[in-house]
Amino acid sequence: MPVGRLEEEEKFAADFNPEYLRRLLQYARPHQRRLLIILGFMLINAAVGLTTPYLMGRAIDTYIAQHDMVGLAMLTAGYLAVNLVGWWASTQRTLRMSQVGQEILHALRMDLFTHIHTLGFDFFDGRPVGKILTRLTNDVNVLNDLLTNGLLNLLVETFNLVAIVILLLALQVPLALVSFSVVPALVMLAFWLRPRIRDAYRWVRTRLSILNASLHEGIAGVRVCQAFAREAENLRRFQQLNQINYAANMQAARLNLLFGPLVELTGTVGTVAVLLYGARLMAQGRLTIGLLVAFLGYLGRFWGPVSTLSNFYNQLQSAMASAERVFEILDYPPQVVSQPGAPALPSIRGEVHFDHVTFGYEPGRPVLQDFDLHVQPGEMVALVGPTGAGKSSIISLISRFYDPWEGAVRIDGHDLREVSLESVRSQVGVVLQETFIFSGTILENVRYGRLDATREEVEEAARQANAHEFIERLPAGYDTVLSERGVNLSLGQRQLLAFARAILANPRVLVLDEATAYIDSQTERLIQEALQRLLAGRTSFVVAHRLSTIQRADRIVVIDHGRIVEMGRHDELLARPDSKYRQLYEAQTRVARSLVGEQAS
Amino acid sequence: MHSWRAIYRFVRPYQAYLWAALAMLFGTTGLGLAGPYIQRQIIDQAILGGQRERLAPLLVALILASLGRGLFLYLRGYFQERVGQQVAFDLRGALYDHLQHLTPAYYARTYTGEIMSRVTGDVERLRQFVTSGAVDLLNSVLTFLLVTVVLFRMNVPLTLLSLSVSPLLGWVVLRFDRTIRPAWRSIERQAGALSTTIQESLSGVRVVKAFAREPFEVERFRRESQEFAQTQIQASRIWAHSFPQIDFLSGLSWVLLIGVGGWQVSAGRLTVGELVAFNGYLWSLIWPVRNLGWLINLFEQSRTASDRIMEILDAPVDIQSPAHPVHLQIQGRVCFEDVSFSYDGPATAVWEAGSTGAVLNGGGQRGRRSGTLHHFSLTVEPGQRVAIVGPTGCGKSTVINLLLRLYDPSEGRITVDGVDLRQLDLTEYRRQIGVVAQETFLFSTSVRENIAFGRPNATEEEVRQAARAAQADAFIEALPHGYETVVGERGVGLSGGERQRVALARAILVNPRILILDDPTSSVDAETEEAIQEVLKRFQEGRTTFIVAQRVTTIMDADWIVVLDQGRIVQQGRHPELMAQPGVYRQLFAGQLGLPAQPRPQEQGPAATLQPGPAGEVCSCR
């Protein structure tokens, strides 16, 4: 049973790569000074934490033993003051740290997002949006956490460890050595047991995401399941995954539950050793009771640094995995770029020339071959041909989503590669098969065609596109909020919105990929009418599926295997006896017409 | 409260584990108190009191106490984990089972993401509560009380002083809890807004590029990202102003202990050992209070979680098999007898032909009574092919949904071979029906399993035969791993035509007596359609077939065509007749054939036989 294939999990950890760390540190560099100040506050805090056992010992030995109440009061007051300083330092640290951290995060996110938007479709094809989203959110967080918390904590805890060691050695060398005996055990637990626990929980996470994926499919495909009476079988399979998940959880828990008691036990063994040896030292007069109490206090503080050090290693590994993913995007080359200093394409008339263009997506497999087509301003061209003939490639080249391998695409004589990208795309309008609706109001969605359009202009464009009527009928008219990829509009309505968008943009050259889906005749009529207005006076390229659209074209270009097979008007092409167009046309209508003909005769 | 009681049903079978965990709790808490107590004895008696011989046994006792406590901790944790995981396991299973039986209407008004978050997030929250909620609360209370008692017996004034910090600490903790939660909520909201921005900008990247709107998108993202950073900073500001305070108050206890405790020792009212023990116990007075916020959170979250889970489990399963079903080997005579139907509930929507309906296609119909059916009557003889057509929302999908018994009619009845659908065993009945829908839902598993979907125990050879019959064999063999290639959302992407062929193979394998073609070719191009049509035609032979389609080529050679408009039959007949008369049918399909919307007079057939008959006229059942 191929359950394991439901979800491939992203990499959790990767080997240390100094290059990545260097690039990451670039993001921290501008905040160097502030990070140092934060480190200062953290050190103050650490120092405050270290004083407690020492002061306790001092109080017992010096003041309590000698009944020096004034001294005790002073020490208490001093301790209170130290705690107040700790309070202040801790507040400062938290405030500043979140400020710096968020600024670094923001910078990382912006770099990524901006770069992603320079990338071509080769990047987006075959890369689910969800995966890119994770990089912009989770991975960026992991990196930031390493840069701020991770590195600083490492420094602070190292300081802590060194400070305790020095302090204990200064207090009493032999007893200090005895107390250090707990460290190896703690290191064992931190570096040996904990990674195993972590692995166990990673396994749990993988199992859980497989379980969730199965659940998601069960819900998304519920209609098919019910139609095929699959409920029992599905439940059986789901319960299998559920059972595996349960077992993985218990397995991890069994391991995890060992951890706390073992750390505690290690602490107790240390305490016993210190007490045993301390009692001897005291009997010999080499140790005071206050110092013994102080030692007992410090014993518990080895765990923090050891644990942090082992954590840091793990954090570094997962940060490397995240860095790999983030830098993979940042290093991904954009497909088409404006030449540096390329001039803007001047206001165009709309003459489009495919000058012997050869183009494809994979090397060695051209989709268009020596494609040559000259289109006059204002001409409407319908592109017709079987799937994979190269129609989509043609329209992608006009907006310069790709560059040709050979030959050139020219608008008004300008090679598209020699003018700025932005100036081309702002003068070439595109209407895609699927209308993408952004969450926001209708107004905002139409205005996407021209950001500075007034409300009146938007309404006018909607009227032209036959969309005004249905928009007005919506609960809040133009201010109706659309959501979830616009599901609350029908396919036809979305198409009309796309037309309005394009009309508002008012491009000289328009590229239209006609929707294939059949829409009821009422809407169909509205669309055809709007289409007529949209195309009027513009050079247009239409990947046409509807007969009525094709019939209207000034020129029909029939494409097969990346070449033009024939060209002409509808009636011209139909008149040719062996025309490919005629074959296509008849395939669609012959049977139906003959049936009607029979009935009529 | 209601939902908690309902959830307890899931806990009850495992309550023995809970009791065991509680029993262990006394062990862990009791032995936890022993540690500082023994230390006190060691210092006072063995070290300061000069009774050296007591040192060894006391140290052994210390280790034993720690060992014992470790054992109890482990067992307690195990029992807690066990009950939590068991409950989560049962809940997931129950939810999945229940969800599979809910009607399309439920899915039309509930978003998939919402259901997902309940079955994943809410079950997990509830599990955490079952695992630790009750036991941890008791642990906090028990520890606090026991320590208080022990401390009182040692030194009353010092105990009172130590306790005096607790209310203050509790107040800060609760205040923090109250202020941080709205901040967390706004972080969550803003995180959602940020990821929506990213998601839209990436999903709509073609539009963004087409309109050269990259700068606009980047600007929009910058605003959201900055806003997100601000909410985070806001939250950490609350954190920065509360947490160090909580730490300080905890530290204050030690300040008091050193000062006042030291004075007491000096005055001889407290021993050094007791001071050390006090020191050891202090943390046990502090952590239960610091935990308060967390516990309250846990309780509140689990209450909403159980509400949300029960909402799913309480959703009624409308369609069920009768207790004593009629067993039927279907011949294929289907009869709709004066069937009326309307989707009830506030937010009704037709489940349009797509199987991804859960993400909701029907939103546009919200509030409108579309998809209803009025007095629909139709008889179909075994082996006949009937097409149902009409404009969007006319009720065609409803007819299909009713035939599949995804719903029951509000009035009238549907019979197969004379037996009311409601008398049949649901599984047995649906096994004898094959469906090919507009959009094929492929599961993320092998092609083979996707084809064997309706008959999981089909042999390899049967699957191949079905694939061959659906003309899917060739392209499947060409996939990287042939029939074992994983397809679906997480596998190899198939083209629209390929998906439809897999769907066909799936239906062929079931070898159904009744076949439903729910607009099977609407999402493929003309060529693919032609290829699929051929297979379909062969497949339909000898089976009662219902066709819903928007393409004239799919329906025109049906034996009978029923034209629906607003839930009523407005025309019926065969294609040439319907084409020849003015009406909905001609309007719908003339355009596709390149004909004018109104028939020319000479084209018009003998209209008299084809007037839209009053509903019920054609039905000869009963």
Side-chain angles (χ1 to χ4, degrees):
Chain A
M1 188 177 160
V3 286
R5 304 182 222 151
L6 270 175
E7 177 116 338
E8 115 203 41
E9 196 57 40
E10 295 244 49
K11 232 161 96 180
F12 287 117
D15 287 336
F16 179 68
N17 181 333
E19 178 57 21
Y20 286 161
L21 189 63
R22 197 189 59 74
R23 287 177 74 178
L24 276 178
L25 285 174
Q26 295 295 327
Y27 284 93
R29 179 145 307 156
H31 309 286
Q32 239 170 13
R33 248 176 58 88
R34 293 157 79 193
L35 285 169
L36 277 177
I37 295 175
I38 292 169
L39 181 64
F41 281 119
M42 290 173 87
L43 291 178
I44 293 177
N45 242 327
V48 168
L50 285 177
T51 53
T52 311
Y54 179 74
L55 289 181
M56 188 83 162
R58 275 296 293 270
I60 294 173
D61 280 350
T62 325
Y63 305 111
I64 297 173
Q66 333 226 313
H67 304 280
D68 177 358
M69 285 307 104
V70 180
L72 185 65
M74 299 269 288
L75 181 123
T76 311
Y79 184 44
L80 186 65
V82 164
N83 265 301
L84 282 169
V85 170
W87 179 359
W88 171 72
S90 173
T91 307
Q92 287 300 317
R93 186 204 65 183
T94 314
L95 285 176
R96 285 158 195 262
M97 180 82 104
S98 84
Q99 189 75 40
V100 172
Q102 290 302 326
E103 280 174 33
I104 293 177
L105 256 175
H106 177 67
L108 250 170
R109 276 198 300 255
M110 285 312 297
D111 276 5
L112 258 178
F113 190 83
T114 312
H115 184 74
I116 287 173
H117 271 289
T118 67
L119 298 179
F121 294 135
D122 57 328
F123 174 79
F124 294 99
D125 295 339
R127 215 180 238 99
V129 171
K131 286 227 160 129
I132 308 177
L133 182 72
T134 322
R135 294 179 192 200
L136 268 160
T137 50
N138 295 359
D139 286 329
V140 169
N141 269 333
V142 171
L143 293 183
N144 175 57
D145 211 42
L146 176 77
L147 282 183
T148 51
N149 278 319
L151 287 175
L152 294 185
N153 267 329
L154 179 73
L155 292 175
V156 170
E157 290 296 352
T158 313
F159 163 81
N160 251 333
L161 189 63
V162 173
I164 295 174
V165 169
I166 293 175
L167 204 69
L168 292 190
L169 285 174
L171 289 177
Q172 228 284 344
V173 177
L175 193 58
L177 295 177
V178 169
S179 353
F180 296 162
S181 67
V182 295
V183 175
L186 292 180
V187 168
M188 251 294 265
L189 289 176
F191 286 85
W192 186 83
L193 180 59
R194 193 144 72 185
R196 266 153 195 75
I197 294 173
R198 207 154 38 219
D199 288 348
Y201 276 106
R202 275 177 189 165
W203 176 237
V204 166
R205 252 168 56 193
T206 315
R207 300 313 311 179
L208 189 65
S209 71
I210 291 171
L211 185 71
N212 288 343
S214 152
L215 172 77
H216 186 259
E217 282 200 339
I219 295 172
V222 69
R223 191 181 195 249
V224 197
C225 296
Q226 291 183 350
F228 282 86
R230 256 289 277 231
E231 295 92 338
E233 174 65 15
N234 276 8
L235 181 63
R236 190 183 66 75
R237 292 186 180 206
F238 179 79
Q239 288 294 56
Q240 263 177 19
L241 295 176
N242 201 359
Q243 179 64 43
I244 296 173
N245 173 62
Y246 168 84
N249 263 297
M250 288 311 293
Q251 172 84 18
R254 269 194 287 271
L255 215 50
N256 188 38
L257 286 168
L258 281 176
F259 195 68
L262 283 180
V263 171
E264 215 176 286
L265 190 63
T266 312
T268 309
V269 171
T271 306
V272 167
V274 167
L275 282 172
L276 194 64
Y277 192 63
R280 217 160 106 202
L281 287 175
M282 276 187 71
Q284 295 163 357
R286 289 162 64 195
L287 186 75
T288 59
I289 179 69
L291 274 185
L292 183 68
V293 170
F295 262 93
L296 289 177
Y298 284 116
L299 211 53
R301 292 175 193 246
F302 281 115
W303 176 240
V306 171
S307 158
T308 305
L309 288 175
S310 93
N311 253 344
F312 178 76
Y313 178 66
N314 171 56
Q315 195 183 10
L316 196 65
Q317 279 184 320
S318 57
M320 284 300 134
S322 289
E324 218 173 273
R325 290 192 283 265
V326 166
F327 288 130
E328 188 223 317
I329 291 186
L330 283 177
D331 294 340
Y332 201 96
Q335 204 167 28
V336 279
V337 280
S338 299
Q339 294 292 330
L345 180 66
S347 251
I348 55 172
R349 290 180 301 124
E351 178 208 353
V352 179
H353 183 199
F354 281 82
D355 187 358
H356 298 278
V357 168
T358 298
F359 169 73
Y361 303 94
E362 292 165 54
R365 293 181 63 185
V367 177
L368 294 178
Q369 293 201 49
D370 198 29
F371 183 83
D372 201 78
L373 179 68
H374 206 124
V375 178
Q376 295 305 321
E379 200 181 349
M380 174 187 172
V381 174
L383 302 169
V384 176
T387 313
K391 293 169 298 188
S392 323
S393 306
I394 295 171
I395 60 174
S396 297
L397 288 170
I398 302 173
S399 305
R400 206 187 159 208
F401 286 142
Y402 300 96
D403 284 331
W405 293 354
E406 281 167 42
V409 181
R410 298 181 214 281
I411 296 183
D412 288 6
H414 298 276
D415 188 331
L416 293 186
R417 283 169 295 197
E418 283 156 15
V419 289
S420 77
L421 205 56
E422 200 272 331
S423 66
V424 173
R425 293 194 183 151
S426 57
Q427 296 190 64
V428 176
V430 182
V431 177
L432 300 163
Q433 254 194 43
E434 278 267 324
T435 307
F436 191 82
I437 304 284
F438 294 92
S439 61
T441 61
I442 295 252
L443 188 75
E444 285 164 350
N445 263 290
V446 176
R447 199 179 264 160
Y448 206 79
R450 207 176 85 225
L451 298 178
D452 57 357
T454 64
R455 196 182 173 96
E456 285 68 37
E457 288 170 319
V458 169
E459 288 189 19
E460 184 48 37
R463 249 182 227 112
Q464 292 281 314
N466 272 343
H468 182 73
E469 208 181 315
F470 89 78
I471 295 173
E472 285 286 280
R473 275 202 313 261
L474 292 173
Y478 281 84
D479 298 314
T480 306
V481 175
L482 303 174
S483 61
E484 283 248 337
R485 305 190 71 177
V487 281
N488 36 18
L489 292 182
S490 77
L491 215 64
Q493 291 170 334
R494 293 165 71 172
Q495 186 101 70
L496 295 180
L497 264 197
F499 287 177
R501 222 183 241 168
I503 288 173
L504 194 63
N506 194 20
R508 295 310 310 146
V509 176
L510 185 84
V511 165
L512 186 124
D513 195 355
E514 201 174 33
T516 45
Y518 281 95
I519 295 168
D520 64 85
S521 52
Q522 177 72 3
T523 320
E524 181 70 43
R525 198 177 47 76
L526 291 176
I527 287 180
Q528 286 298 335
E529 224 178 79
L531 193 61
Q532 201 153 6
R533 287 193 214 124
L534 173 63
L535 299 181
R538 305 178 210 278
T539 312
S540 55
F541 291 80
V542 182
V543 174
H545 302 287
R546 288 179 161 70
L547 212 52
S548 40
T549 313
I550 300 174
Q551 283 169 340
R552 185 182 300 142
D554 295 318
R555 187 156 30 144
I556 297 165
V557 178
V558 183
I559 301 156
D560 200 7
H561 294 104
R563 292 171 199 276
I564 298 176
V565 234
E566 53 197 17
M567 264 196 298
R569 295 186 56 88
H570 175 69
D571 28 354
E572 284 168 28
L573 291 177
L574 273 192
R576 293 186 202 167
D578 56 345
S579 130
K580 172 101 180 164
Y581 176 72
R582 194 187 158 127
Q583 284 171 23
L584 282 169
Y585 176 75
E586 283 181 349
Q588 276 199 26
T589 51
R590 183 183 45 216
V591 202
R593 268 185 189 266
S594 70
L595 277 169
V596 177
E598 275 166 29
Q599 175 64 30
S601 55
Chain B
M1 235 24 226
H2 150 75
S3 62
W4 259 1
R5 208 168 306 143
I7 289 290
Y8 187 70
R9 183 160 57 97
F10 287 89
V11 181
R12 190 174 301 127
Y14 311 106
Q15 58 181 339
Y17 290 113
L18 268 186
W19 294 121
L22 281 181
M24 296 302 119
L25 176 65
F26 284 93
T28 56
T29 312
L31 287 175
L33 293 178
Y37 186 80
I38 299 173
Q39 280 192 32
R40 169 196 157 187
Q41 304 277 350
I42 291 171
I43 290 173
D44 281 348
Q45 297 176 2
I47 295 177
L48 295 179
Q51 296 169 269
R52 288 296 300 271
E53 73 285 354
R54 295 220 48 186
L55 184 61
L58 280 170
L59 287 179
V60 170
L62 196 59
I63 291 206
L64 285 180
S66 179
L67 266 177
R69 181 174 142 84
L71 186 69
F72 282 127
L73 269 176
Y74 186 90
L75 288 175
R76 191 185 98 197
Y78 177 81
F79 292 136
Q80 285 179 262
E81 191 72 29
R82 185 77 195 262
V83 64
Q85 294 293 349
Q86 288 278 14
V87 168
F89 174 86
D90 288 356
L91 268 174
R92 285 197 191 97
L95 281 166
Y96 187 88
D97 191 24
H98 193 77
L99 280 167
Q100 280 206 102
H101 292 95
L102 292 175
T103 54
Y106 177 83
Y107 287 100
R109 58 170 186 264
T110 319
Y111 289 110
T112 311
E114 183 58 33
I115 301 175
M116 280 302 289
S117 94
R118 289 179 188 207
V119 185
T120 56
D122 286 324
V123 167
E124 180 57 23
R125 268 185 281 279
L126 205 62
R127 181 194 70 77
Q128 270 177 21
F129 176 69
V130 173
T131 301
S132 44
V135 178
D136 281 11
L137 178 68
L138 259 164
N139 189 18
S140 297
V141 173
L142 197 66
T143 306
F144 191 87
L145 289 179
L146 283 178
V147 167
T148 308
V149 169
V150 171
L151 290 186
F152 262 120
R153 289 189 50 185
M154 261 192 307
N155 188 299
V156 178
L158 201 53
T159 309
L160 287 175
L161 209 59
S162 304
L163 282 175
S164 68
V165 179
S166 297
L168 203 57
L169 191 62
W171 179 72
V172 176
V173 167
L174 292 181
R175 195 199 55 187
F176 169 72
D177 186 58
R178 227 182 23 252
T179 48
I180 197 75
R181 263 193 275 172
W184 275 336
R185 266 197 296 277
S186 60
I187 286 180
E188 244 168 72
R189 245 198 324 274
Q190 194 53 38
L194 187 69
S195 66
T196 308
T197 308
I198 298 171
Q199 220 155 14
E200 283 195 350
S201 179
L202 297 181
S203 309
V205 72
R206 275 158 211 282
V207 183
V208 174
K209 284 196 185 300
F211 285 95
R213 286 285 171 266
E214 289 92 344
F216 175 73
E217 290 298 317
V218 168
E219 199 38 50
R220 203 156 71 113
F221 180 73
R222 183 192 307 284
R223 273 201 311 274
E224 295 290 354
S225 170
Q226 235 149 22
E227 183 64 34
F228 183 53
Q230 273 316 310
T231 44
Q232 295 264 32
I233 292 172
Q234 208 63 44
S236 57
R237 202 163 284 158
I238 297 172
W239 187 275
H241 287 123
S242 298
F243 235 77
Q245 207 176 343
I246 293 172
D247 278 341
F248 173 77
L249 284 176
S250 313
L252 194 61
S253 309
W254 271 277
V255 174
L256 292 172
L257 182 71
I258 289 181
V260 180
W263 173 62
Q264 294 259 359
V265 173
S266 181
R269 284 196 285 269
L270 193 73
T271 64
V272 174
E274 281 173 332
L275 184 67
V276 173
F278 237 101
N279 181 30
Y281 284 128
L282 259 187
W283 184 241
S284 300
L285 280 189
I286 292 166
W287 73 252
V289 181
R290 287 177 72 133
N291 257 357
L292 264 180
W294 180 77
L295 278 172
I296 292 175
N297 244 330
L298 196 67
F299 271 85
E300 281 180 9
Q301 281 192 351
S302 72
R303 202 174 54 206
T304 33
S306 50
D307 282 347
R308 285 157 51 91
I309 290 170
M310 286 318 294
E311 231 170 74
I312 294 184
L313 288 177
D314 286 343
V317 176
D318 301 323
I319 308 294
Q320 276 166 321
S321 297
H324 304 288
V326 175
H327 295 285
L328 183 66
Q329 207 48 47
I330 295 180
Q331 296 304 309
R333 180 186 160 89
V334 177
C335 199
F336 285 78
E337 298 174 20
D338 197 26
V339 169
S340 294
F341 178 80
S342 77
Y343 295 88
D344 46 31
T348 55
V350 204
W351 188 331
E352 285 295 339
S355 48
T356 43
V359 208
L360 202 47
N361 306 304
Q365 275 86 33
R366 269 181 196 194
R368 260 188 275 159
R369 293 280 155 183
S370 108
T372 55
L373 218 51
H374 304 285
H375 305 286
F376 179 82
S377 292
L378 179 68
T379 303
V380 185
E381 295 302 331
Q384 264 190 339
R385 289 172 304 153
V386 177
I388 299 161
V389 299
T392 312
C394 68
K396 0 182 237 298
S397 296
T398 308
V399 174
I400 299 302
N401 286 339
L402 287 171
L403 182 59
L404 273 168
R405 212 188 154 209
L406 294 173
Y407 296 110
D408 283 331
S410 332
E411 278 169 49
R413 59 177 206 149
I414 302 164
T415 61
V416 169
D417 297 347
V419 184
D420 192 323
L421 291 190
R422 283 168 290 206
Q423 290 177 294
L424 296 172
D425 179 76
L426 212 50
T427 304
E428 199 181 279
Y429 169 62
R430 288 184 186 158
R431 281 262 154 90
Q432 300 181 63
I433 300 184
V435 186
V436 183
Q438 180 180 26
E439 295 249 332
T440 304
F441 189 85
L442 294 181
F443 291 82
S444 302
T445 172
S446 66
V447 182
R448 186 177 54 76
E449 287 202 44
N450 265 295
I451 293 177
F453 189 74
R455 248 180 74 202
N457 52 0
T459 66
E460 183 90 32
E461 191 40 43
E462 288 171 322
V463 170
R464 276 168 194 276
Q465 260 172 15
R468 269 195 290 275
Q471 291 186 0
D473 194 48
F475 89 80
I476 295 175
E477 291 289 2
L479 291 173
H481 304 286
Y483 279 84
E484 295 307 317
T485 310
V486 175
V487 291
E489 218 176 313
R490 290 174 186 79
V492 174
L494 298 183
S495 75
E498 290 167 341
R499 295 164 77 91
Q500 287 314 77
R501 276 176 221 163
V502 171
L504 262 169
R506 195 186 262 174
I508 290 173
L509 188 64
V510 176
N511 190 21
R513 295 309 312 146
I514 299 174
L515 180 63
I516 295 172
L517 303 176
D518 193 353
D519 216 353
T521 55
S522 69
S523 50
V524 300
D525 59 55
E527 280 167 283
T528 318
E529 188 196 345
E530 220 171 319
I532 291 180
Q533 281 308 346
E534 237 173 89
V535 181
L536 277 177
K537 220 161 274 174
R538 217 172 320 130
F539 185 34
Q540 288 169 32
E541 261 158 48
R543 301 175 211 275
T544 310
T545 307
F546 286 80
I547 308 163
V548 167
Q550 313 241 7
R551 272 196 190 181
V552 70
T553 41
T554 315
I555 51 175
M556 61 195 184
D557 52 357
D559 295 324
W560 193 251
I561 298 170
V562 177
V563 186
L564 281 177
D565 195 12
Q566 297 183 3
R568 291 173 206 279
I569 298 179
V570 289
Q571 282 176 292
Q572 45 189 323
R574 291 172 54 89
H575 174 75
E577 305 154 4
L578 292 173
M579 224 34 216
Q581 56 179 242
V584 176
Y585 189 81
R586 173 88 190 192
Q587 276 172 19
L588 278 174
F589 298 111
Q592 289 178 32
L593 298 168
L595 298 171
Q598 294 298 320
R600 284 186 294 271
Q602 73 267 25
E603 236 184 302
Q604 230 166 64
T609 56
L610 298 162
Q611 281 308 314
E617 194 186 69
V618 284
C619 185
S620 52
C621 300
R622 273 166 228 253

